[in-house]
Amino acid sequence: MLKIENLETFYGNIQALKGIDLHIEDGEIVTLIGANGAGKTTTLMSISGVVPPRNGKIILNGKDITGTAADDIVSMGLIQVPEGRRIFSELSVAENLDMGAFLRNDAAEIKRDMEYVYQLFPILAERRHQHGGTLSGGEQQMLAISRALMAKPKILLLDEPSLGLAPIIVQQIFDIIKKINQEQGTTVFLVEQNANQALKIAHKGYVMETGRITMSDTASNLLADDEVKKAYLGI
Amino acid sequence: MNGTYFIELFLGGLTRGSIYALIALGYTMVYGIIQLINFAHGEIYMIGAFTALIVSSVLSFTGMSPVLIFIIAAIAAVVWAAGYGMTMEKIAYKPLRNAPRLSALISAIGMSLFLQNYVLLAQTSDFQPFPDLIPDLAFLKPIETIMNTTQFIILVTTAVVMVVFTLLIRYTKMGKAMRATAQDMVMAQLVGININKVIMFTFLLGSATAAIGGVLISSHIGQINYYIGFLAGIKAFVAAVLGGIGSIPGAVLGGFVLGLTESFGTGYISSDYEDVFAFAILIIILIFRPSGLLGKTTRKKV
C-alpha cells in the first residue's frame, strides 16, 4: 500500500531523516515508535507532502507520489491526523467535519459518514455546534480522527494520538483505531511514544532513532525484545 | 447643537466609513491568511476607479443610458481590479511565500509604487473628472441637503456587499476553506484544501470589494488621479488595524468608527485636521486595546 524508500528530509541544512525505508501492507496497522526528536513527525509530514523530501521515494499503491502537492495526496486517500490535533478552533465541530470532507461532493454519503462518526463518538454529536477550540483535549482528538475519517481514508496516518490525554481516554482512542482498521479495513500507520499501547494493537512495528530506522519486526516480537523493553517500554 | 447638522455629519461619516470598510476588508483578509500587509491594496482601489472612468468615457459615445453605463463600468472595474489583485499575488507575493514576512512587505511597497507610477505615466498627475452617471433619485429630494443620491447608493451598495460577503464566508465551501486556511495553513492542506487557490481567491475578493469602493467614491467626489489610492489605502489600513487586523467584522467596524470620527471631527472641530483625527483615534484605541476592537489576543491551546 505504502512504500518508502531511502527518504531524506532536511530543514535548511539540518538533516532530519537520514534515509529511511518503510513498508506498509494493505489492511495492516503499522506503528513507528521512537523518542522525541527522532524524526517521526517529519516522516509523516514528508509522506503527506507538507515538508517535501530531498531524496528518496514515496510510493502509494504503486504510484510514485514524491513531490506531489499535499492536497493531491489527500485526494488519493492518504489522510493524516497530525500531532497536536490541529482542530480548526474557530470552526464548529460540524464545520470541522465538513472540512474533513472538503474534496468530496457526494452530499448524501457525507451526511451518512457524519452520522457514523457521531455514532463512534456520541460526545461530538452533542457538541456539534460548539467551536472546536472549546473542546477538551480528548474530545479534540476524537474530532481530529473523525475529521480524517470524513475524507474516507484508504490509509490513515496518526501522529501521537495519545499525547497529553488521560489514560482512560487513551484506551478509548486506541480501541477506536483498532475498530476503524477492523471494520472499515483502513490501513493505519501509527506514530507513537506510547510504545506499549501502540505495539499491542499493531501488526508490525518500526523503531526510529535520530533520523534512522534502527529496528523493524512484528509487533509481538518487538514487545518481547529486550532492547525495546528497556528503551521504550520502561520495563 | 443643531440636529440636522448632526445627522448630516453622521451620514457623511457612514459614507466615508463604507468606503474605508470596503477597502479594509481586503487588507484584513489577506493579513488573516498570509500575514502580509498588502500595501499595494490602495492601488487596486485606484485602478478600479480608473477602469470605471475609462469604460464609462468610452461607453458615453454609444448613447447608452447613464445608469446602464455606470453598472457596466462598475462591473468592468471589479473584474479588471480582481485580475490585477490576482496577478499581483502571483508575481509579487507567491514567490516569497516562504521568505521572511519582511521581504513580502517590501515587495508590497514596491508593487504600490510601481502601480502608482504606471498609472501616473498613462493618466498624468492631473485630476480627471469622473462623469456624473447616477441620476438623482426622486424620493431623496426632500432630504437632499442631508443625503444625496450617491451617498444613498454608497450606503445601500455597501450594505448589500457586506451581506453577500458574510454569507459567502460563512456558508460556502470556499468561505469555510478561507477560514480554515487562516486558522491553520498546514492543517488546511492536510484536509485537501489547495491553499494556492484559497489565497488567490482571497486576493480576488479583496480586490473586487476595493474596486467597488473606488467606483463609488469616484462618482461621489467626481474626480480622481493616480494618487487617490495612497491616502485611502492608509486610512483603510488604519481601519483594519483599529478593528483588529485579521478580523472581518473588525474591518467593517473599524471603517465606520474611522469614518464617523473624521466626519464629526471635521464638522465640529476643524476640517484642517481631517487626517489627524484618523491617526489620533488609532493611537487612542491601540493604547487601550492593542489588538484592535475585535482583534483576538494570540493564545494557543497546546
Side-chain angles (χ1 to χ4, degrees):
Chain A
M1 172 117 222
L2 182 66
K3 225 167 120 183
I4 313 287
E5 287 170 8
N6 193 31
L7 196 69
E8 294 185 18
T9 301
F10 290 72
Y11 292 109
N13 289 324
I14 298 162
Q15 187 168 14
L17 300 183
K18 297 169 183 164
I20 64 166
D21 296 275
L22 295 167
H23 198 89
I24 298 163
E25 293 289 342
D26 220 343
E28 271 186 332
I29 299 182
V30 174
T31 184
L32 176 65
I33 57 177
N36 261 338
K40 306 188 299 292
T41 297
T42 307
T43 305
L44 291 196
M45 286 301 182
S46 289
I47 296 172
S48 282
V50 175
V51 184
R54 195 175 288 182
N55 289 312
K57 265 192 183 153
I58 303 164
I59 296 152
L60 179 65
N61 285 324
K63 200 173 156 214
D64 189 349
I65 59 160
T66 325
T68 307
D71 52 300
D72 290 332
I73 292 177
V74 171
S75 73
M76 295 170 194
L78 186 148
I79 317 295
Q80 185 185 161
V81 180
E83 185 180 7
R85 308 177 268 273
R86 304 187 95 138
I87 294 303
F88 297 119
S89 56
E90 275 156 57
L91 263 52
S92 72
V93 168
E95 282 176 329
N96 266 281
L97 294 175
D98 278 343
M99 283 291 108
F102 185 77
L103 291 175
R104 295 171 57 188
N105 288 312
D106 42 347
E109 261 194 73
I110 291 174
K111 201 161 177 248
R112 223 183 45 212
D113 286 348
M114 207 178 266
E115 289 313 314
Y116 172 75
V117 299
Y118 282 150
Q119 220 178 355
L120 217 51
F121 301 109
I123 188 81
L124 295 182
E126 262 173 57
R127 316 223 147 158
R128 65 177 86 189
H129 299 301
Q130 249 172 269
H131 275 191
T134 64
L135 302 185
S136 73
E139 288 160 2
Q140 286 194 0
Q141 188 62 57
M142 293 172 195
L143 179 55
I145 292 173
S146 303
R147 181 177 58 188
L149 290 179
M150 291 303 293
K152 287 210 153 193
K154 294 193 184 85
I155 173 164
L156 191 60
L157 274 48
L158 296 143
D159 196 351
E160 305 230 16
S162 74
L163 192 73
L165 302 182
I168 182 159
I169 309 283
V170 173
Q171 192 53 55
Q172 201 185 339
I173 298 282
F174 277 105
D175 287 345
I176 292 284
I177 294 168
K178 207 169 166 183
K179 193 172 160 187
I180 294 164
N181 173 256
Q182 282 169 353
E183 286 182 4
Q184 313 270 312
T186 310
T187 310
V188 175
F189 183 40
L190 174 66
V191 162
E192 261 300 339
Q193 282 201 54
N194 191 336
N196 189 25
Q197 291 273 16
L199 288 170
K200 268 185 195 154
I201 65 163
H203 303 106
K204 212 165 73 189
Y206 288 91
V207 179
M208 193 169 191
E209 267 173 52
T210 56
R212 285 196 177 84
I213 300 290
T214 52
M215 280 171 102
S216 70
D217 209 332
T218 62
S220 48
N221 283 352
L222 285 177
L223 265 175
D225 188 274
D226 284 339
E227 246 177 84
V228 174
K229 270 188 189 168
K230 213 171 85 189
Y232 300 104
L233 302 175
I235 307 169
Chain B
M1 203 181 267
N2 181 330
T4 324
Y5 187 53
F6 177 85
I7 294 172
E8 199 180 306
L9 291 178
F10 180 73
L11 290 173
L14 284 186
T15 314
R16 256 170 208 267
S18 299
I19 304 297
Y20 292 149
L22 285 172
I23 309 174
L25 281 176
Y27 274 113
T28 218
M29 280 194 303
V30 166
Y31 184 84
I33 291 199
I34 54 173
Q35 285 76 48
L36 166 75
I37 307 292
N38 178 13
F39 273 117
H41 189 57
E43 270 55 64
I44 295 292
Y45 153 91
M46 177 266 293
I47 282 170
F50 267 104
T51 309
L53 172 66
I54 293 165
V55 171
S56 56
S57 306
V58 172
L59 289 180
S60 66
F61 293 112
T62 63
M64 249 185 244
S65 80
V67 178
L68 194 61
I69 291 179
F70 181 74
I71 292 170
I72 294 173
I75 292 170
V78 165
V79 173
W80 194 244
Y84 263 92
M86 292 195 294
T87 312
M88 182 163 78
E89 193 274 327
K90 204 163 182 101
I91 64 175
Y93 307 140
K94 196 176 171 196
L96 298 171
R97 188 81 52 76
N98 297 315
R101 289 295 79 188
L102 194 60
S103 312
L105 192 71
I106 302 292
S107 186
I109 293 171
M111 203 66 203
S112 165
L113 291 173
F114 170 76
L115 289 174
Q116 270 178 37
N117 286 286
Y118 154 76
V119 175
L120 171 67
L121 280 177
Q123 301 286 342
T124 76
S125 62
D126 298 335
F127 271 97
Q128 317 279 334
F130 196 90
D132 184 12
L133 297 167
I134 304 173
D136 290 338
L137 293 169
F139 69 90
L140 287 171
K141 202 86 190 153
I143 54 163
E144 209 173 34
T145 50
I146 304 171
M147 178 159 71
N148 64 25
T149 306
T150 47
Q151 272 182 309
F152 178 77
I153 301 277
I154 288 174
L155 293 177
V156 171
T157 311
T158 306
V160 171
V161 169
M162 295 300 170
V163 170
V164 170
F165 193 84
T166 309
L167 294 176
L168 192 88
I169 297 288
R170 190 162 297 180
Y171 298 111
T172 66
K173 204 163 183 178
M174 196 44 143
K176 283 185 204 172
M178 281 173 71
R179 285 188 286 148
T181 307
Q183 285 171 44
D184 188 336
M185 200 178 277
V186 169
M187 192 59 227
Q189 288 173 280
L190 289 178
V191 296
I193 294 171
N194 182 336
I195 54 166
N196 287 328
K197 274 193 196 154
V198 170
I199 293 170
M200 191 144 271
F201 186 76
T202 307
F203 273 85
L204 180 152
L205 210 54
S207 303
T209 51
I212 293 173
V215 175
L216 291 173
I217 198 69
S218 308
S219 39
H220 184 51
I221 293 174
Q223 55 174 17
I224 57 176
N225 80 345
Y226 77 102
Y227 204 59
I228 59 164
F230 180 75
L231 196 59
I234 293 281
K235 294 273 186 68
F237 173 56
V238 168
V241 172
L242 198 65
I245 191 126
S247 156
I248 288 170
V252 178
L253 180 66
F256 285 119
V257 167
L258 191 65
L260 290 169
T261 308
E262 281 191 351
S263 186
F264 286 122
T266 50
Y268 285 123
I269 302 168
S270 163
S271 59
D272 294 340
Y273 297 116
E274 186 181 334
D275 298 336
V276 174
F277 298 119
F279 297 101
I281 186 89
L282 175 73
I283 292 167
I284 292 167
I285 288 183
L286 290 189
I287 287 172
F288 295 104
R289 285 194 63 95
S291 51
L293 292 170
L294 301 180
K296 270 171 233 81
T297 40
T298 35
R299 183 164 38 90
K300 275 200 175 135
K301 196 168 179 178
V302 184

